[in-house]
């Protein structure tokens, strides 16, 4: 949960924040399936899907597609 607060941290630049958000998504992705409450993570990732940094936005889009495929139909 503390990782999701990264958006509130102070960085030298907005670009540093964008990079850090991408790294947080990479880390969370490995353990997402173990979380009981996934909503805060999904909210964070959905916000990152609108990130101005292309690489971070792409990570968010991949994360959301992967989660969508994992949902039971």
């Amino acid at each position: 949960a503390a990782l999701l607060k990264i958006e509130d941290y102070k960085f030298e630049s907005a670009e540093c924040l964008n990079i850090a958000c991408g790294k947080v998504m990479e880390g969370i992705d490995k353990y997402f399936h173990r979380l009981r409450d996934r909503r805060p993570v999904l909210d964070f990732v959905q916000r990152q899907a609108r990130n101005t940094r292309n690489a971070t936005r792409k990570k968010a889009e991949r994360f959301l597609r992967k989660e969508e495929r994992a949902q039971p139909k």
Side-chain angles (χ1 to χ4, degrees), residues 7-8 12 19 22 26-27 32 43 45 47 53 55 60-62 64:
E7 295 168 305
D8 298 329
E12 285 187 34
I19 292 168
E26 288 176 354
F32 184 73
D43 290 346
V45 175
R47 285 193 301 276
R53 180 176 170 79
E61 291 167 356
R62 278 192 302 270
L64 293 170

Side-chain angles (χ1 to χ4, degrees), residues 3-72:
L3 289 175
L4 299 179
K5 295 180 183 177
I6 190 113
E7 295 168 305
D8 298 329
Y9 295 173
K10 298 293 181 204
F11 288 89
E12 285 187 34
S13 68
E15 191 68 4
C16 290
L17 171 61
N18 292 338
I19 292 168
C21 287
K23 297 297 183 183
V24 165
M25 283 187 291
E26 288 176 354
I28 290 173
D29 189 34
K30 296 174 186 174
Y31 301 100
F32 184 73
H33 66 281
R34 295 183 182 180
L35 297 176
R36 288 188 184 128
D37 184 10
R38 296 177 178 176
R39 178 51 41 200
V41 173
L42 290 172
D43 290 346
F44 171 78
V45 175
Q46 287 171 340
R47 285 193 301 276
Q48 298 314 310
R50 296 184 304 274
N51 194 293
T52 57
R53 180 176 170 79
N54 189 46
T56 301
R57 187 172 56 251
K58 297 289 184 192
K59 287 175 187 175
E61 291 167 356
R62 278 192 302 270
F63 188 108
L64 293 170
R65 278 194 306 272
K66 180 179 170 183
E67 174 55 22
E68 186 177 292
R69 285 191 306 264
Q71 291 295 317

